[in-house]
C-alpha cells in the first residue's frame, strides 16, 4: 500500500469514526430525554461511545507508525506504547470493568432468631451508561443463582434513563426473589420533573409505576416483616405513587399468606425527601418521627433500608435492639463517611471474619458501628458522572445472624 493510499484510507476511517461517535451520541442524548444540560449529557455520551472505538484507533495508530505517516512518533517508541496503554486502559475501564460483576459475602451479627441472607444492590444508575439489557440480564442471572431470601435495592435507580422506563426495567421481572427498595432523592426529583410539565405527563412511565408492574416492593416510610422463607412469599406488594407519600397509613399487602413463616426481623424503609414542591406531596415531619419511634421501640431486630448512610443520625444511639442500616456508597456517602470517621461518630467494624477480611473494596465500603447501631455500605453496580469505572460492580450478600 502506498503512503498516499494509506493516508486517504486512515483519514477516511478516522473521519467516519468521529462522525459515528458524535451523531450516535446525539441520538442517544435525545433518547435520554433530558429536560436540561443537553450539551453536558452529549459530551458524556461522546466520551462513552468513543471508548468502543479505542481498538480501531489503536490499530490506526500502529499502522500509521509502521507507515511513518506520524512524524512526531517516528523516533519515539515509548510515546507509541504510552498512547496504546492509555487507550487500552480507557477501553478497559469503560467497557470491560462495568461488566465484571462479582459477588462479595459478608457476615453481620444482629441477634436474629434464625439467620437471614439478603442480596444488596446499590447505585444501579440505569440510564446513560448502566442498565443496558446485557447488564441487567447478568444482574438477574447472578441474583437468581444466589441462595438469598430477599433482594434489597438502596435507591439511586436512575441516571437519565430512556422514556420507555418500564421497558428498560422489564428484565427485573425475572428475579426469582422478593425485591424491596427505597428511592433516593435523585429518584424522587426525577419523578417530580417527569410527571408534570404544564399539567401534562412528560413520560408515560414513571419509576413508581414501574415498581408496580415489576412486583418490586417500595417500602419508603413503611415497615414490613421479613419472614425466614421469603422465597415462599410473593414478590408483589402494592406500590404507592409519589403523590401518596403523605398517606402513610397505606400498608404493604402480600399476595400470599406468610403466617407459617417465622418473622425474624422488621424491615423499614427510611425515605430521604427532596425539598417540598407545589407539585409533589411529601411526608410530614410527624410521619417521619412516627417511623423513627416505631423503629426505636421495635421488639424485633430492625433492618433499615436507605439511600444515604447518614439517615442513621436521626435515630437515638441507644436504640435497642440495635438496628442495621443498609445503604449505598454514592459520592456524598463516601464524603460523609470520611467526615464521620474524622469526628469519631462511626468506627470501622473490627470483626475478625474471613468473609470481611477478604473484602478488597475501597475503605468506604463495608460494616461500621454507630453507637448501638450498625451501618453496612454497599459497593454499588452502576456508573455515573464520567463513564469509566475503577472498581468492579459488586452485589453484596449479607448473612445476618
Amino acid at each position: 500500500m502506498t503512503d498516499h493510499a494509506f493516508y486517504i484510507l486512515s483519514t477516511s476511517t478516522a473521519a467516519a469514526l468521529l462522525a459515528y461517535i458524535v451523531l450516535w451520541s446525539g441520538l442517544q442524548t435525545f433518547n435520554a430525554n433530558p429536560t436540561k444540560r443537553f450539551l453536558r449529557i452529549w459530551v458524556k455520551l461522546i466520551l462513552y461511545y468513543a471508548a468502543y472505538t479505542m481498538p480501531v484507533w489503536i490499530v490506526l495508530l500502529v499502522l500509521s507508525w509502521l507507515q511513518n505517516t506520524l512524524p512526531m512518533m517516528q523516533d519515539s517508541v515509548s510515546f507509541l506504547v504510552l498512547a496504546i496503554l492509555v487507550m487500552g486502559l480507557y477501553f478497559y475501564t469503560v467497557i470491560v470493568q462495568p461488566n465484571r460483576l462479582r459477588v462479595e459475602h459478608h457476615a453481620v451479627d444482629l441477634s436474629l432468631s434464625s439467620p437471614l441472607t439478603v442480596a444488596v444492590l446499590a447505585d444501579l444508575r440505569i440510564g446513560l451508561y448502566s442498565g443496558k439489557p446485557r447488564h441487567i440480564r447478568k444482574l438477574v442471572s447472578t441474583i437468581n443463582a444466589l441462595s438469598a431470601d430477599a433482594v434489597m435495592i438502596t435507591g439511586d435507580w436512575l441516571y437519565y434513563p430512556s422514556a420507555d422506563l418500564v421497558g428498560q426495567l422489564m428484565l427485573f421481572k425475572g428475579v426469582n426473589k422478593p425485591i424491596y427498595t427505597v428511592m433516593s432523592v435523585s429518584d424522587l426529583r426525577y419523578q417530580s420533573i417527569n410527571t408534570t410539565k404544564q399539567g401534562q405527563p412528560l413520560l408515560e412511565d414513571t419509576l413508581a409505576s414501574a415498581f408496580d408492574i415489576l412486583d418490586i416492593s417500595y417500602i419508603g416510610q413503611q415497615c414490613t416483616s421479613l419472614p425466614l422463607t421469603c422465597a415462599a412469599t410473593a414478590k408483589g406488594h402494592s406500590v404507592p405513587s409519589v403523590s401518596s407519600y403523605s398517606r402513610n397509613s397505606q400498608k404493604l399487602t402480600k399476595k400470599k399468606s406468610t403466617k407459617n413463616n417465622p418473622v425474624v426481623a422488621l424491615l423499614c424503609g427510611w425515605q430521604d425527601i427532596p425539598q417540598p414542591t407545589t407539585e409533589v406531596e411529601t411526608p410530614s415531619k410527624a410521619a417521619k418521627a412516627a417511623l423513627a419511634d416505631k423503629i426505636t421501640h421495635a421488639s424485633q431486630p430492625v433492618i433499615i433500608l436507605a439511600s444515604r448512610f447518614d439517615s442513621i443520625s436521626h435515630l437515638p444511639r441507644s436504640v435497642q435492639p440495635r438496628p442495621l442500616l443498609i445503604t449505598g456508597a454514592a459520592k456524598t456517602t463516601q464524603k460523609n463517611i470520611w467526615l464521620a470517621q474524622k469526628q469519631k461518630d462511626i468506627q470501622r467494624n473490627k470483626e475478625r471474619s474471613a468473609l470481611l477480611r477478604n473484602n478488597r473494596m475501597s475503605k468506604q465500603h463495608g460494616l461500621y458501628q454507630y453507637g448501638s447501631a450498625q451501618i453496612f455500605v454497599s459497593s454499588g453496580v452502576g456508573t455515573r458522572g464520567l463513564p469509566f469505572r475503577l472498581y468492579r460492580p459488586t452485589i453484596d450478600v449479607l448473612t445476618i445472624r
Side-chain angles (χ1 to χ4, degrees):
M1 183 182 296
T2 64
D3 292 345
H4 180 69
F6 176 78
Y7 176 79
I8 296 297
L9 178 61
S10 60
T11 302
S12 301
T13 304
L17 286 176
L18 291 174
Y20 157 75
I21 294 169
V22 173
L23 293 177
W24 183 250
S25 300
L27 290 174
Q28 293 303 310
T29 303
F30 282 107
N31 187 48
N33 195 37
T35 55
K36 56 182 179 178
R37 299 178 178 175
F38 185 92
L39 290 178
R40 180 182 297 184
I41 296 172
W42 192 0
V43 171
K44 289 181 178 181
L45 285 174
I46 287 174
L47 293 174
Y48 175 68
Y49 287 109
Y52 285 90
T53 65
M54 286 298 113
V56 181
W57 289 111
I58 291 175
V59 171
L60 287 177
L61 186 65
V62 173
L63 291 177
S64 298
W65 181 76
L66 293 175
Q67 293 288 329
N68 295 323
T69 57
L70 293 177
M72 74 288 295
M73 292 190 352
Q74 287 181 1
D75 301 321
S76 179
V77 177
S78 60
F79 182 82
L80 174 67
V81 172
L82 179 61
I84 292 175
L85 288 177
V86 169
M87 288 188 285
L89 180 62
Y90 188 65
F91 177 83
Y92 180 83
T93 56
V94 175
I95 308 302
V96 179
Q97 186 78 314
N99 290 290
R100 299 181 65 233
L101 181 67
R102 69 174 175 184
V103 177
E104 287 280 335
H105 293 269
H106 311 264
V108 181
D109 181 16
L110 199 60
S111 302
L112 299 185
S113 58
S114 300
L116 188 70
T117 302
V118 298
V120 180
L121 275 70
D123 302 324
L124 290 175
R125 305 293 184 182
I126 292 173
L128 289 189
Y129 316 128
S130 308
K132 310 299 181 187
R134 65 180 183 276
H135 297 151
I136 299 180
R137 287 193 190 97
K138 192 165 187 177
L139 271 177
V140 171
S141 62
T142 303
I143 292 170
N144 288 345
L146 294 174
S147 179
D149 300 305
V151 179
M152 298 184 184
I153 301 178
T154 66
D156 287 315
W157 278 81
L158 309 175
Y159 187 61
Y160 295 104
S162 67
D164 183 19
L165 185 58
V166 171
Q168 198 168 8
L169 299 177
M170 186 56 70
L171 290 171
F172 278 101
K173 201 171 180 66
V175 175
N176 61 5
K177 300 170 178 60
I179 303 177
Y180 302 93
T181 189
V182 293
M183 292 190 199
S184 66
V185 171
S186 61
D187 293 333
L188 292 173
R189 285 174 179 160
Y190 174 84
Q191 288 275 103
S192 173
I193 291 172
N194 292 285
T195 50
T196 49
K197 181 181 181 182
Q198 298 176 347
Q200 298 296 325
L202 271 176
L203 296 180
E204 181 180 352
D205 305 319
T206 63
L207 188 56
S209 64
F211 290 160
D212 195 17
I213 294 171
L214 302 176
D215 293 334
I216 295 175
S217 304
Y218 172 73
I219 57 167
Q221 301 295 84
Q222 301 176 78
C223 294
T224 184
S225 298
L226 274 183
L228 176 62
T229 311
C230 288
T233 68
K235 280 173 50 176
H237 291 55
S238 62
V239 181
S241 64
V242 176
S243 61
S244 66
Y245 286 141
S246 61
R247 301 194 296 272
N248 289 287
S249 59
Q250 182 174 356
K251 304 297 182 181
L252 294 169
T253 58
K254 295 184 179 179
K255 293 181 180 178
K256 294 183 181 180
S257 173
T258 60
K259 291 188 292 184
N260 296 328
N261 295 327
V263 176
V264 297
L266 188 67
L267 175 64
C268 297
W270 190 267
Q271 184 64 70
D272 294 300
I273 304 299
Q275 293 296 323
T277 68
T278 58
E279 300 170 311
V280 181
E281 297 179 11
T282 56
S284 64
K285 293 182 179 180
K288 207 162 188 177
L291 179 63
D293 184 69
K294 184 174 183 177
I295 294 172
T296 302
H297 298 95
S299 58
Q300 298 166 329
V302 177
I303 299 173
I304 305 169
L305 189 62
S307 62
R308 295 170 53 126
F309 116 95
D310 51 358
S311 300
I312 199 71
S313 63
H314 297 282
L315 299 174
R317 294 197 180 196
S318 59
V319 175
Q320 293 295 338
R322 59 179 180 171
L324 168 66
L325 174 71
I326 299 176
T327 184
K331 289 183 179 180
T332 53
T333 294
Q334 296 180 20
K335 180 180 178 181
N336 291 337
I337 287 176
W338 181 81
L339 292 174
Q341 285 181 306
K342 187 176 181 180
Q343 297 170 2
K344 298 184 179 180
D345 288 334
I346 64 172
Q347 297 179 0
R348 184 81 178 193
N349 192 292
K350 301 298 184 181
E351 174 136 7
R352 296 181 180 178
S353 168
L355 294 175
L356 290 177
R357 286 201 307 270
N358 289 335
N359 186 1
R360 299 183 296 275
M361 298 301 294
S362 173
K363 293 182 179 180
Q364 281 79 18
H365 309 133
L367 194 63
Y368 294 87
Q369 194 75 27
Y370 176 83
S372 62
Q374 297 181 93
I375 305 170
F376 182 82
V377 181
S378 183
S379 307
V381 297
T383 305
R384 62 160 297 170
L386 296 176
F388 54 83
R389 184 178 180 89
L390 298 178
Y391 297 104
R392 292 176 63 180
T394 304
I395 299 175
D396 291 293
V397 179
L398 306 186
T399 300
I400 308 172
R401 298 184 176 91

